Amino acid sequence: MALNFYENLSNDFTKLLENSDEHNIIIEVGESPVMQTFKVHSTVLCYRCPYLYDEFKKSTINNEDNIRMIHKPLISAKSFNVIIKYIYGASVDLRNVESSNIFDLLMIANEFQFEELVARLQIFLIENHTSWLKLNFFKIFHSCSQTKNFKSFLNFCNNIIVKNPNLIFESNDFNTLPEAALVSIIQRDDLNLEESKVWDYVIQWGIAQNKILPLNLDDWIEKDFQILKNTLQQCLPHIRYFQFSHEHIVEKIYPYQQILEKNFMLDILKYYISPNENISSAILPPRNIFQITSSESKVWDYVIQWGIAQNKILPLNLDDWIEKDFQILKNTLQQCLPHIRYFQFSHEHIVEKIYPYQQILEKNFMLDILKYYISPNENISSAILPPRNIFQITSSVISNEHATEIASWIDKKEAAYDFINPYDFNLILRGSRDGFGKDVFWNLCDRKTNIVVVARVKGTDEIVGGYNPIGWNSNFMNRHLETNDSFIFSLELKRIKNHILSRVKKASEGIYNDPDYGPNFGSDFYMVEDKSFNTRKIQGYEKLIRKTTGKFLIKDYEVFQITKRKNI
């Protein structure tokens, strides 16, 4: 049995560092005037930090006491103080350390080849500083894709990207993405992006890596296609070529056929033109795309598409189908058909989508569907499945993804909700529909609680807004209302993670009832009557939500009352 006394050992080595007895190295970090020196021991570095020990062996003797010098001007004294304590005492105190400084520590730990510390710091940031990671998403992703040691970060980032691909693909920095990072994304089966879009982005990235390629594809010669082919050799195997529509094969793939192997391109054409012919190329499975906003008619489309794809003998033209073809499809889809919400279709989609395939449904059931839509007062015997619990916001200002992000702030979640929004956003005012005047606001919003206000800034893709849990109340005009849970924010139309969230810091000054204005979050953010908002100063909230203060025009604004959704 071993008796371990690691804590005492750690304390003793920490004292050795503090007292610097018999040191033989001085490490200078930072630059003047904030440069700082640390007195350390080569024996400790030899076993605890081979990276610095190698630098010690290369360094020159600086004085008669045989003291050697190591210079690290790009490392701050604050960061190195944490690192050297880890080297001597095998402990890192991250209390009260800002997220950005922890990330700097991670980069130093990686440079010094501290694999254990690198792994632990990644997990710590993911578990405790998720919001900061998302706010600095591209920086994090770019860094973690440059080294194999950041596996936890890469997995964290990729799990976000596959659900919100626009974070990367619509980023201004997309074309600077390292090849390994791009491959790590497009090889994922759960990447939530249409295959033709994946192809577009891959081609865009490949061309961006070669500035010598002609701008007009018609001007390309054989060597240009070869250049692109060489650039994309690690990406091309991960495209799902057999999941494109016929139109996209013609429009997108065929013009770049020279970057694909001839036999493979021939197999693609066979697959779409002569589906009964055998092909030798491997067919990658379709991506597991999750469409939160899909209507029931879309579910039907995908089910039919899948069913037909399982039976290559079915005619391409539905007009050519005979009874046995419908029976084949019916047999294939027998486990799927009971789960379609047939009574949630629009009248138009019943005619356009269901009726042409009526032969794959039981006759009595199809009759009930027609009764339901044509003679709604007639009784039907078929079971009506409940509608899907799909979150869909009705807004001209924000998207579903924006609303989900706001919901996570309301619930004070570190990580944003993934697709499932726990709240319904019920529109009670839209400026372009109801008017922008203060009287409209007070008539429609007075004494309503749990209010979200959003506005689109005119001439930009900026969205600003705020959340007021207690509402505005005309019984308390010209008075502040107290709340600890309100916040104001700014978002971007496309790059949702480029947000600013500012929570109330003075509960007594967060909300103000002013008869001369619309929604009013104190002096920090409020609406004036002439289709404009104002950000004046930091008073009741943590920080400014715009780079500049003062009045700014808006294109439109909306007020929602949120309520908890059922069956979530």
Side-chain angles (χ1 to χ4, degrees), residues 79 97 105 196 262 293 418 471 481 528 531:
S79 295
V97 180
L105 284 174
S196 63
K262 286 184 178 179
T293 58
D418 291 333
L481 300 178
V528 291
K531 290 184 68 173

Side-chain angles (χ1 to χ4, degrees), residues 266-268 270-271 274-281 283 312:
L266 182 61
D267 274 351
I268 293 174
K270 277 185 186 178
Y271 182 86
S274 303
N276 293 328
E277 281 198 51
N278 292 326
I279 61 175
S280 59
S281 302
I283 299 179
K312 304 299 182 184

Side-chain angles (χ1 to χ4, degrees), residues 73-121:
L74 300 181
I75 299 177
S76 71
K78 190 174 184 179
S79 295
F80 192 77
N81 188 50
V82 176
I83 291 294
I84 201 66
K85 286 181 179 177
Y86 168 76
I87 292 173
Y88 275 78
S91 65
V92 174
D93 186 359
L94 298 177
R95 289 174 296 180
N96 303 318
V97 180
E98 294 183 0
S99 308
S100 58
N101 290 333
I102 298 174
F103 182 75
D104 291 340
L105 284 174
L106 173 62
M107 301 306 290
I108 298 169
N110 186 59
E111 179 187 351
F112 286 6
Q113 301 168 16
F114 293 140
E115 293 184 7
E116 180 185 34
L117 183 57
V118 167
R120 294 284 293 275
L121 287 175

Side-chain angles (χ1 to χ4, degrees), residues 12 20 60 165 178 180 228 263 307 312 318 326 354 416 425 478 567:
D12 289 342
S20 64
T60 56
L228 184 61
N263 288 339
K312 304 299 182 184
L318 189 63
F326 287 103
I354 301 292
F425 280 60
N478 298 310
N567 302 320

Side-chain angles (χ1 to χ4, degrees), residues 19 23 70 83-85 120 137 155 223 247 262 271 276 283 299 302 311 314 356 380 386 395 423 505 538 545:
N19 296 330
H23 71 279
I70 296 176
I83 291 294
I84 201 66
K85 286 181 179 177
R120 294 284 293 275
F137 186 82
N155 189 50
K223 77 173 180 60
E247 294 78 11
K262 286 184 178 179
Y271 182 86
N276 293 328
I283 299 179
V299 177
Y302 292 131
N311 300 283
L314 293 176
I380 61 175
S395 174
Y423 296 101
K505 66 177 182 179
I538 300 175
I545 59 172

